[in-house]
Amino acid sequence: MRDKLKSNNLKTIAYSQIVDLTHAIHPNIPTWAGDPATEFETVSQIEKHGYFLRKFSMGEHSGTHINAPNSFYAGGTSIDSYAPQSLVSPAIAIDIREQSLANPDYTLTIDDVLNWERQHKLIEPENLVLLYTGWQEKWDDERSFFNRDESGICHFPGFGKAATQFLLEERSIAGIGTDTHGVDTGRDESFAVNKLVLEKQRIVLENLANLDLLLADEITLVIGILRLLGGSGSPVSVLAFIA
């Protein structure tokens, strides 16, 4: 059954399935070295207070999250400034599981993008490009997820800088996302791809889940942010509407 979701400006999202691309938040989620711990504390209990309530704390870039430009650029846009329409976007997913299995440091290439287009369609402007590396399957094992070597360097796949420039300049994409903890490869501690995309005020999503369920070409993402005043990013809920 196909349903339709209409917005106030009469745009319509036609969908047959909704996939949640969001990891559940709990104290044991993988967190970047040096980031705040994810913590929950019970404030009230039904038996004692008549209702259940907890408080929680976590980093702005933990869990399934979005990065804002001010995380790398002083004076850059903060997460509370994002326009609502920028948080609803068509998307495509590129599968590089095979390459990532052979090489955890694999970076998406321009050839990968062109090969995807030959098999599917030209990536249209204002699409979000998602990278399915298979790393989402390591989410419950922090050691495997970050895959650090003896020197503490992480090894996980990501977007290549040349491919990202191609997508931004030749395909005018709305942004990028991935199922690892960074759109950059784990070895790139300069965050070059993050900076490249955020400099252009585009979307960066990290720690996505269930990308294996995005087999269709026609996908619309709806990104639910927390409007943290001055925030460098935010945990998000990401829903994929599949036509």
Side-chain angles (χ1 to χ4, degrees):
M1 178 179 178
R2 288 170 67 90
D3 297 302
K4 291 187 177 181
L5 185 68
K6 288 190 177 181
S7 62
N8 291 333
N9 61 3
L10 300 181
K11 290 185 178 179
T12 300
I13 300 174
Y15 64 95
S16 60
Q17 182 184 7
I18 303 175
V19 176
D20 193 342
L21 305 185
T22 314
H23 285 291
I25 298 171
H26 57 80
N28 296 318
I29 63 172
T31 54
W32 197 259
D35 278 3
T38 302
E39 299 177 331
F40 288 81
E41 179 183 339
T42 299
V43 174
S44 62
Q45 299 175 332
I46 294 176
E47 297 79 7
K48 184 176 180 179
H49 304 95
Y51 63 95
F52 177 56
L53 173 67
R54 297 185 300 178
K55 70 175 182 179
F56 73 95
S57 62
M58 63 188 299
E60 293 177 325
H61 296 245
S62 295
T64 303
H65 65 273
I66 185 172
N67 300 341
N70 69 339
S71 58
F72 292 106
Y73 297 101
T77 300
S78 57
I79 194 63
D80 57 292
S81 301
Y82 276 49
Q85 58 267 28
S86 71
L87 302 172
V88 180
S89 174
I92 64 101
I94 298 177
D95 185 343
I96 61 165
R97 286 173 301 168
E98 184 176 341
Q99 298 94 316
S100 300
L101 181 64
N103 176 14
D105 296 315
Y106 190 81
T107 58
L108 182 75
T109 67
I110 295 175
D111 282 342
D112 289 327
V113 174
L114 297 177
N115 285 336
W116 186 92
E117 290 185 326
R118 279 191 285 269
Q119 296 174 29
H120 300 273
K121 62 179 182 179
L122 189 73
I123 298 172
E124 298 177 352
E126 301 306 315
N127 264 259
L128 277 165
V129 175
L130 307 180
L131 196 60
Y132 174 39
T133 72
W135 236 246
Q136 63 185 42
E137 298 168 10
K138 303 174 184 286
W139 178 252
D140 292 325
D141 183 347
E142 181 168 321
R143 184 173 180 178
S144 296
F145 191 71
F146 286 109
N147 196 27
R148 293 184 176 93
D149 61 24
E150 294 179 355
S151 300
I153 303 299
C154 296
H155 296 273
F156 54 76
F159 285 82
K161 188 174 181 179
T164 305
Q165 286 178 320
F166 174 82
L167 289 167
L168 289 168
E169 296 170 5
E170 301 299 327
R171 298 295 182 265
S172 299
I173 62 169
I176 59 177
T178 185
D179 57 358
T180 72
H181 210 296
V183 291
D184 297 274
T185 61
R187 292 191 304 175
D188 186 358
E189 297 182 332
S190 70
F191 304 107
V193 169
N194 249 298
K195 292 176 179 177
L196 188 63
V197 177
L198 293 175
E199 182 182 23
K200 296 182 179 296
Q201 310 279 325
R202 307 297 168 86
I203 298 286
V204 172
L205 296 171
E206 297 173 330
N207 290 341
L208 293 167
N210 296 322
L211 294 186
D212 57 309
L213 301 179
L214 302 187
L215 302 178
D217 295 341
E218 294 187 35
I219 304 164
T220 301
L221 293 194
V222 177
I223 305 165
I225 64 170
L226 297 176
R227 289 199 177 275
L228 305 173
L229 188 63
S232 68
S234 164
V236 291
S237 175
V238 183
L239 297 180
F241 292 76
I242 302 177

